[in-house]
């Protein structure tokens, strides 16, 4: 067996001391989902008080915080009238067209059914404030971000091999992408990596990878890194322990995209006790 890097075995309590990125460790998933929701709700409330817009990049994954966010919004009567939402990504079919909203795997469908349409009508923003990357008009979402004055906060998760949105490690025998080129990547259509499809099928389709769309459209790292603040949430437990530690302490590498976020001036990673545990191989 190959040697395990030392940072993979650091006790959870010592992660903040060794991390290149500020990290918050919460007791459990519920605390993390509440933190996610509370952060967004409070950001909107603060900007509303200042009569300023709130401009967010939002993920579909993790999704556990959205029911808390909808409840806080409705119970506390938080208006989203001046909120602009830019979703990170969407699945595409084999021809590179976004899948329809109706299938259960549609990110756009999820956001409308489980978030936007559950906000009380008098608090809900106009539909023109919801933005999704369009594989047939790739630059439009970047133009929309610029039109509203940029992004305040990017909220996101982290994938199995360190991808943010569908910014997966570029794998090619012929083309080598430098870290700086990848940081400046634009909205694009990507072929999903086999391990992404397998991992997501285990979590979402009962282990059947054939159900999954083969492609995706994703915001590039340029728009993601342009956000004033970045907040990444990891509560996957065992499967996400390596992703967490690579994000916090791994060497900068295109092969692990979240390491390219380490230089962002206001980036905080939030995780739970289970995910923060050290890696200990076993049968």
């Amino acid at each position: 067996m190959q040697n395990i890097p030392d940072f993979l075995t650091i006790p959870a309590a010592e992660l903040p001391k060794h991390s290149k990125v500020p990290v918050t460790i919460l007791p459990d998933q519920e605390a993390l989902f509440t933190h996610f929701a509370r952060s967004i709700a409070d950001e909107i409330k603060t900007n509303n008080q200042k009569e300023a817009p709130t401009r967010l990049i939002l993920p579909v994954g993790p999704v556990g915080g959205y029911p808390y966010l909808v409840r806080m919004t409705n119970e506390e009567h938080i208006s989203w009238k001046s909120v602009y939402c830019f979703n990170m990504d969407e699945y595409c079919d084999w021809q590179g067209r976004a899948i329809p909203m109706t299938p259960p795997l549609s990110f756009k469908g999820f956001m409308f059914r489980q978030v936007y349409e559950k906000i009380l009508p008098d608090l809900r923003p106009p539909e023109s404030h919801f933005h999704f990357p369009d594989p047939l008009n790739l630059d439009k979402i970047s133009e929309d971000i610029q039109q509203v004055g940029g992004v305040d906060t990017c909220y996101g998760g982290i994938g199995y091999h360190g991808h943010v949105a569908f910014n997966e490690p570029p794998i090619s025998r012929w083309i080598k992408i430098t870290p700086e080129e990848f940081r400046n990547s634009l909205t694009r259509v990507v072929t999903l990596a086999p391990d992404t499809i397998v991992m997501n099928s285990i979590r979402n389709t009962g282990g059947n990878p054939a159900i999954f769309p083969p492609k995706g459209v994703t915001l590039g790292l340029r728009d993601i890194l342009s956000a004033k603040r970045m907040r990444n949430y990891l509560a996957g437990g065992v499967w996400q322990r390596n992703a967490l530690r690579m994000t916090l302490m791994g060497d900068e590498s295109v092969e692990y995209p979240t390491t390219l976020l380490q230089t962002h001036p206001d980036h905080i990673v939030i995780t739970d006790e289970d995910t923060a545990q050290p890696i200990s191989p076993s049968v």
Side-chain angles (χ1 to χ4, degrees):
M1 187 176 70
Q2 293 182 335
N3 291 331
I4 300 175
D6 289 341
F7 65 77
L8 296 183
T9 62
I10 294 171
E14 296 181 17
L15 286 180
K17 181 172 64 176
H18 295 275
S19 178
K20 301 175 184 177
V21 179
V23 56
T24 299
I25 302 175
L26 299 171
D28 51 34
Q29 278 194 350
E30 183 176 5
L32 182 138
F33 294 149
T34 301
H35 188 287
F36 173 89
R38 189 75 265 166
S39 297
I40 295 174
D42 286 349
E43 182 170 354
I44 296 171
K45 288 173 70 172
T46 298
N47 287 331
N48 286 350
Q49 291 169 359
K50 296 187 294 186
E51 298 185 349
T54 300
R55 300 152 301 189
L56 307 173
I57 292 176
L58 295 174
V60 177
V63 298
Y66 284 119
Y68 295 81
L69 177 59
V70 169
R71 186 172 69 246
M72 290 175 187
T73 295
N74 292 338
E75 290 180 355
E76 300 172 27
H77 209 73
I78 303 170
S79 174
W80 283 49
K81 297 295 186 183
S82 296
V83 177
Y84 297 85
C85 301
F86 300 90
N87 262 76
M88 285 185 161
D89 45 14
E90 179 59 282
Y91 285 117
C92 294
D93 65 20
W94 68 276
Q95 298 190 92
R97 269 64 173 179
I99 65 172
M101 285 180 60
T102 49
L105 292 178
S106 167
F107 292 167
K108 185 175 183 179
F110 171 86
M111 291 301 292
F112 272 91
R113 289 189 293 268
Q114 301 301 323
V115 184
Y116 305 141
E117 292 175 0
K118 291 193 173 185
I119 295 173
L120 293 173
D122 62 324
L123 305 176
R124 196 179 303 162
E127 194 166 321
S128 61
H129 287 199
F130 304 135
H131 302 270
F132 296 83
D134 181 355
L136 303 182
N137 191 353
L138 292 173
D139 292 328
K140 185 176 187 305
I141 193 165
S142 297
E143 294 165 358
D144 292 339
I145 288 172
Q146 294 304 311
Q147 189 172 9
V148 301
V151 173
D152 298 306
T153 307
C154 173
Y155 292 89
I158 293 174
Y160 164 73
H161 48 203
H163 61 270
V164 178
F166 281 139
N167 288 284
E168 300 186 313
I171 299 173
S172 171
R173 294 175 60 190
W174 318 116
I175 301 172
K176 299 300 180 185
I177 307 298
T178 68
E180 196 56 32
E181 287 173 324
F182 204 36
R183 281 194 185 94
N184 284 291
S185 56
L186 306 175
T187 302
R188 62 200 184 280
V189 175
V190 298
T191 298
L192 300 181
D195 46 351
T196 294
I197 293 176
V198 170
M199 188 67 202
N200 287 355
S201 74
I202 291 169
R203 297 162 57 203
N204 301 114
T205 61
N208 186 337
I211 296 175
F212 259 85
K215 293 181 180 290
V217 59
T218 182
L219 282 179
L221 284 185
R222 188 183 71 174
D223 283 326
I224 289 171
L225 287 166
S226 74
K228 296 174 185 175
R229 293 174 293 275
M230 294 196 64
R231 302 293 184 262
N232 287 109
Y233 289 80
L234 296 87
V238 173
W239 77 263
Q240 221 172 19
R241 288 175 184 171
N242 184 70
L244 172 66
R245 287 166 182 259
M246 287 293 293
T247 299
L248 299 181
M249 296 172 286
D251 293 334
E252 180 183 273
S253 168
V254 168
E255 285 69 39
Y256 221 89
T258 53
T259 60
L260 303 182
L261 310 181
Q262 292 171 353
T263 56
H264 191 280
D266 190 353
H267 178 206
I268 298 175
V269 172
I270 302 94
T271 190
D272 66 344
E273 287 280 359
D274 186 14
T275 309
Q277 296 306 306
I279 293 175
S280 178
S282 63
V283 294

